[in-house]
């Protein structure tokens, strides 16, 4: 992959200061089947967040735009070219590969060998169609070859959660071995990411898949990137594997140092000996958002619920609060021994493929507005006006508040109140 445009530490540039201030949105459908309308609404919201992204001297090259959605099973059964197992028992790896044919063959062989070594099956490869008319000159020169690897779960895999953990281990082994010749935006049986060094309007045209009516989902995260005083690149566009992020993590150096200090003590009944294959959890080449995502996915795959992990990483300002239940206060006190706050200003939208939501860090310096409509859609984003909504369509609306969780449970088909989520998580163990 051509990464010559992004140097290491040189002059006044320091890669560890990679930050961004961007536009984010979440669209979810509370009831019914997955639909392409969710994808269309998310892409409309993304285009209306174009002003929150940035361009370089080449105005057709964006800092980054992308979308995360559920694996569209109908779509992949139609285009994969191979027979697929039941939904949840196959995964799709989105691979950004070198453009040099020889090196690409080596990396693909490494991917296949690793999948086999970890006891899973390579079902096949799919070339991701792209339309090069919708990419800037600078971005096009750095564009990777994009292919999807389809992976089948081994017979001994107990359930989808176990398969997700194995896919995570495979990805980490591949990333460590391939180095900077490979980027893997997503590798999951639940979700998939399409992203790149694009402007918001370019995204659905560069990736024709996104306009295919068979590409359906009940949720989507979108992101328009403004890389603050740093270099854009294909792999640093958002969403990442679980989040999209607006803002900066200003405690990043401390957060990284503490994670590295604890890596030697990592243990997990669910991962077992595989835990040694996933370290280091965070890498130097990542941005603040990517690092946050790395830690969040480890916490969730290690057995915590998504709200639990988010509460660990982005706690509210609780120490002087007299209105918090004692169970919630106990949760925060207990976890302060395990994880330091990842402080912003930052707003984060997140999903594990079933739950989706957003959180504003305790400083509260990033905007977030949400609305629920009568036809069962939930929209949340950096501002109002992302999608046109007539007042009579709106059931209720609100805003993100500092330290508060906004959570959509697709299985239950409802928005779960912040207090209910936190009480449920905090009373699951006697943390106090």
């Amino acid at each position: 992959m051509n990464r010559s445009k992004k140097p290491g530490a040189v002059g006044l540039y320091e890669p560890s200061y990679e930050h961004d201030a961007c536009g984010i949105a979440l669209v979810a459908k509370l009831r019914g089947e997955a639909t392409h309308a969710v994808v269309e609404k998310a892409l409309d919201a993304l285009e209306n967040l174009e002003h929150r992204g940035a361009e370089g001297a080449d105005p057709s090259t964006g800092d980054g735009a992308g979308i995360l959605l559920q694996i569209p099973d109908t779509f992949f059964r139609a285009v994969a070219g191979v027979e697929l197992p039941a939904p949840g028992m196959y995964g799709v790896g989105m691979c950004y590969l070198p453009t040099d044919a020889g090196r690409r063959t080596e990396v693909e062989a490494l991917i296949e060998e690793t999948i086999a070594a970890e006891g899973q099956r390579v079902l096949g490869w799919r070339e991701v169609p792209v339309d090069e008319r919708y990419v800037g000159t600078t971005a096009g020169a750095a564009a990777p070859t994009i292919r999807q690897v389809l992976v089948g779960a081994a017979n001994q895999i107990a359930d989808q959660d176990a398969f997700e953990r194995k896919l995570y281990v495979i990805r980490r082994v591949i990333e460590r071995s391939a180095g900077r010749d490979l980027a893997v935006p997503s590798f999951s049986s639940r979700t998939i990411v399409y992203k790149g060094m694009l402007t918001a309007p370019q995204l659905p045209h560069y990736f024709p898949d996104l306009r295919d009516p068979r590409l359906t989902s009940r949720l989507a995260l979108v992101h328009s990137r403004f890389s603050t005083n740093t270099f854009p690149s294909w792999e640093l566009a958002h969403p990442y594997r679980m989040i999209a992020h607006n803002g900066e993590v200003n405690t990043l150096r401390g957060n990284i140092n503490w994670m590295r200090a604890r890596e030697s003590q990592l243990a997990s009944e669910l991962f077992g000996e595989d835990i040694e294959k996933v370290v280091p959890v965070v890498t130097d080449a990542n941005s603040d958002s990517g690092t946050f995502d790395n830690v969040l996915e480890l916490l969730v795959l290690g057995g915590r619920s998504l709200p639990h992990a988010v509460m660990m990483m982005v706690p509210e300002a609780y120490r002087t609060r007299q209105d918090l239940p004692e169970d919630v206060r106990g949760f925060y006190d207990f976890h302060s021994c395990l994880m330091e706050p990842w402080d912003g200003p930052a707003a984060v939208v997140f999903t594990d493929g079933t739950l989706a939501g957003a959180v504003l860090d305790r400083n509260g310096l990033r905007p977030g507005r949400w609305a629920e409509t009568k036809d069962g859609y939930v929209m949340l984003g950096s501002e109002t006006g992302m999608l046109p909504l007539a007042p009579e369509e709106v059931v209720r609306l609100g805003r993100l508040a500092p330290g508060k969780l906004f959570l959509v449970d697709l299985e239950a088909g409802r928005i779960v109140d912040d207090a209910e989520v936190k009480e449920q998580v905090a009373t699951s163990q006697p943390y106090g």
Side-chain angles (χ1 to χ4, degrees):
M1 193 184 304
N2 182 351
R3 291 202 173 92
S4 60
K5 301 295 183 183
K6 184 185 175 188
V10 59
L12 295 177
Y13 173 68
E14 170 51 56
S16 65
Y17 294 152
E18 285 278 356
H19 294 303
D20 41 52
C22 322
I24 56 174
L26 158 68
V27 176
K29 184 171 181 276
L30 292 177
R31 301 179 292 275
E33 299 295 318
T35 172
H36 188 64
V38 169
V39 181
E40 292 177 328
K41 288 177 184 292
L43 292 171
D44 287 345
L46 176 64
E47 185 160 359
N48 289 329
L49 291 169
E50 181 186 10
H51 62 285
R52 286 186 171 269
E55 302 162 352
D58 169 14
S60 61
T61 291
D63 274 10
I67 184 169
L68 179 156
L69 42 108
Q70 293 173 315
I71 293 282
D73 182 64
T74 301
F75 172 78
F76 275 109
R77 291 189 187 280
V79 302
V82 295
E83 186 175 345
L84 297 177
M89 288 295 104
Y90 70 91
V92 182
M94 182 73 85
C95 299
Y96 286 10
L97 296 155
T99 53
D100 176 77
R103 180 56 182 154
R104 183 168 65 250
T105 299
E106 293 175 3
V107 173
E108 289 175 351
L110 169 67
I111 292 170
E112 293 186 5
E113 290 165 6
T114 306
I115 292 168
E118 293 297 328
Q120 312 307 301
R121 296 177 293 134
V122 177
L123 301 174
W125 287 86
R126 174 179 180 256
E127 202 83 31
V128 177
V130 298
D131 190 336
E132 295 178 353
R133 295 175 298 171
Y134 295 94
V135 64
T137 303
T138 305
T145 297
I146 304 177
R147 301 189 75 198
Q148 292 163 339
V149 61
L150 300 155
V151 183
N155 292 333
Q156 64 267 32
I157 292 289
D159 54 30
Q160 191 174 8
D161 288 342
F163 188 40
E164 279 292 291
R165 280 191 296 276
K166 181 54 71 173
L167 292 174
Y168 169 66
V169 170
I170 291 170
R171 193 196 87 227
R172 290 298 297 124
V173 172
I174 292 168
E175 288 173 333
R176 287 168 57 184
S177 302
R180 300 191 71 191
D181 279 339
L182 173 72
V184 188
S186 60
F187 203 95
S188 172
S189 64
R190 291 191 169 110
T191 59
I192 190 167
V193 173
Y194 287 80
K195 68 177 184 179
M197 207 166 138
L198 306 163
T199 65
Q202 286 173 345
L203 182 73
H205 298 286
Y206 185 75
F207 291 111
D209 284 0
L210 297 177
R211 303 197 308 276
D212 192 312
R214 297 169 297 185
L215 194 92
T216 61
S217 180
R218 285 184 63 197
L219 66 86
L221 308 184
V222 291
H223 187 275
S224 179
R225 186 173 190 236
F226 192 118
S227 52
T228 313
N229 299 321
T230 59
F231 292 96
S233 65
W234 281 79
E235 67 273 21
L236 293 185
H238 298 220
Y240 286 91
R241 298 166 195 97
M242 297 192 78
I243 71 154
H245 173 228
N246 171 23
E248 299 179 352
V249 177
N250 283 325
T251 54
L252 183 64
R253 177 49 53 196
N255 295 130
I256 290 174
N257 288 343
W258 277 111
M259 280 302 300
R260 287 179 174 161
R262 292 177 175 128
E263 281 179 353
S264 63
Q265 299 175 330
L266 285 179
S268 168
E269 292 182 2
L270 294 174
F271 278 105
E273 293 182 0
D274 278 352
I275 197 70
E276 298 176 3
K277 301 175 184 177
V278 307
V279 294
V281 177
V282 298
T283 61
D284 292 330
N286 235 335
S287 65
D288 58 341
S289 310
T291 303
F292 184 102
D293 184 78
N294 289 158
V295 176
L296 182 64
E297 73 174 338
L298 178 69
L299 294 175
V300 172
L301 292 172
R304 294 170 177 84
S305 70
L306 182 57
H308 184 150
V310 171
M311 287 170 64
M312 283 180 66
M313 296 183 70
V314 193
E316 55 192 315
Y318 73 96
R319 292 194 184 276
T320 60
R321 294 267 302 278
Q322 302 302 315
D323 58 325
L324 279 182
E326 284 302 311
D327 291 323
V328 176
R329 186 185 302 277
F331 174 91
Y332 287 131
D333 276 334
F334 177 88
H335 286 88
S336 69
C337 302
L338 306 177
M339 177 76 62
E340 291 69 34
W342 294 62
D343 273 340
V348 179
V349 288
F350 53 80
T351 185
D352 61 2
T354 301
L355 298 173
V359 65
L360 187 62
D361 82 299
R362 57 188 177 176
N363 296 301
L365 298 175
R366 284 293 181 271
R369 300 281 180 173
W370 63 269
E372 179 185 356
T373 64
K374 290 180 180 177
D375 56 355
Y377 284 95
V378 176
M379 299 97 164
L380 178 145
S382 300
E383 57 206 66
T384 55
M386 299 179 309
L387 292 170
L389 291 176
E392 61 271 16
E393 296 176 9
V394 177
V395 175
R396 52 179 172 157
L397 47 79
R399 67 178 181 88
L400 291 182
K404 301 296 185 184
L405 276 176
F406 176 84
L407 190 70
V408 178
D409 186 336
L410 293 184
E411 287 189 350
R414 68 188 185 100
I415 297 172
V416 189
D417 183 70
D418 170 82
E420 180 184 345
V421 176
K422 289 178 177 173
E423 188 66 15
Q424 183 179 11
V425 171
T427 57
S428 63
Q429 298 288 345
Y431 292 110

